[in-house]
Amino acid sequence: ILVAAQRPELMVLDEPAGGLDPGVRRSFLDVIIRLIQDDRRTVLFSSHITSDVERVATRVGFLKAGKLVLEEELDTLKESVKKVVLSAEARAAADTLNWLSRAEFDDVIEGVVQQSDTSVLDTVAARNGAVVHGLPLEDIYLSVIGSGKDAST
């Protein structure tokens, strides 16, 4: 059932673009973006299509097993969560980072970190030759939530 109110202050959309083809989905998202910008509305947009969320959201939240496990401004989240690869010789430096996921191999430590103080990561990278990459929202989601039947956005 679709119920439409004229100029609502809050819109709740649950998987609104899930069944749409890419062209129609893009047009639909453009309308949502204009509604948010032009009329200063709040839109609660729930979707597993993280590229859609990344396109329209200013703030994101991740649910796991029905509980909110992370909620943050999208730009802040993307700035603070990075993929890091560094030499296994830098284990002491690696231990100073806030790892969301981490794998150690013979010569390399790699994973995803969330550092609200990005200067810590910058220092570790500069001193230890770490390679640091930004991540799309989907990879951040998988690092925070993991994969499985109880993961949802």
Side-chain angles (χ1 to χ4, degrees), residues 6-143:
Q6 196 164 31
R7 306 182 79 70
E9 292 179 26
L10 171 66
M11 295 173 63
V12 179
L13 305 173
D14 185 16
E15 296 288 355
L20 302 176
D21 71 57
V24 173
R25 190 169 84 231
R26 178 168 284 184
S27 296
F28 173 77
L29 294 175
D30 288 343
V31 169
I32 297 302
I33 291 167
R34 278 196 308 275
L35 284 173
I36 295 167
Q37 291 173 341
D38 295 345
D39 294 335
R40 312 287 292 168
R41 290 189 179 112
T42 299
V43 176
L44 178 60
F45 187 97
S46 172
S47 180
H48 289 90
I49 305 171
T50 55
S51 59
D52 288 354
V53 174
E54 199 164 13
R55 186 154 178 234
V56 301
T58 56
R59 189 165 194 85
V60 295
F62 296 153
L63 297 175
K64 183 172 186 175
K67 295 188 174 150
L68 185 65
V69 296
L70 182 144
E71 185 225 348
E72 197 162 344
E73 294 288 329
L74 179 61
D75 291 342
T76 302
L77 181 66
K78 290 186 77 175
E79 185 175 310
S80 68
V81 177
K82 304 288 183 186
K83 180 176 182 177
V84 176
V85 179
L86 69 158
S87 166
E89 296 170 356
R91 186 168 281 109
D95 289 342
T96 66
L97 300 175
N98 181 30
W99 294 90
L100 297 174
S101 62
R102 176 176 168 171
E104 294 192 29
F105 304 98
D106 290 337
D107 57 344
V108 169
I109 300 169
E110 68 177 62
V112 176
V113 300
Q114 182 173 23
Q115 293 296 137
S116 54
D117 180 358
T118 56
S119 67
V120 172
L121 181 55
D122 293 342
T123 300
V124 168
R127 291 183 181 164
N128 298 283
V131 177
V132 179
H133 301 281
L135 294 169
L137 186 60
E138 182 173 319
D139 290 347
I140 295 172
Y141 170 82
L142 290 171
S143 295

